[in-house]
Amino acid sequence: VNREFEMSEKLFQKTLELNPESEIKAWAYIFLGRLAFAGGAAEEAAQHFKTALGVDGAPTGAKTAAERGLADATKNAAPQKK
């Protein structure tokens, strides 16, 4: 499974290197965020979601997905109170 995560991450990074159009760029960051979150890296995930939100021309669906991902990542990155 880790190998699949690593390969997916590399493919999304490669997609970003190709300077894609706004929609693809936003979704690539969202999926990088989802991969980071699934791997337990909530802070890294939050950064990817924030980057997706900053993509000019990103479609509404991508912005909504990034907002939801950011909310989940932020909630899980915050220290737990006892």
Side-chain angles (χ1 to χ4, degrees):
V1 173
N2 278 343
R3 186 176 173 108
E4 291 172 4
F5 273 94
E6 289 174 13
M7 180 59 77
S8 296
E9 183 177 19
K10 286 179 184 180
L11 290 172
F12 285 118
Q13 290 290 356
K14 184 65 175 174
T15 298
L16 292 169
E17 290 173 15
L18 298 173
N19 197 24
E21 61 185 55
S22 298
E23 182 175 5
I24 294 170
K25 185 175 186 178
W27 281 110
Y29 280 115
I30 290 164
F31 284 111
L32 284 169
R34 289 177 177 175
L35 287 168
F37 188 75
E43 290 181 20
E44 179 183 346
Q47 188 57 50
H48 286 303
F49 293 128
K50 287 177 186 177
T51 303
L53 286 168
V55 173
D56 289 331
T60 303
K63 297 246 182 205
T64 300
E67 288 168 352
R68 288 181 185 156
L70 180 59
D72 288 342
T74 302
K75 179 175 62 175
N76 284 289
Q80 301 292 323
K81 293 183 181 180
K82 293 184 179 183

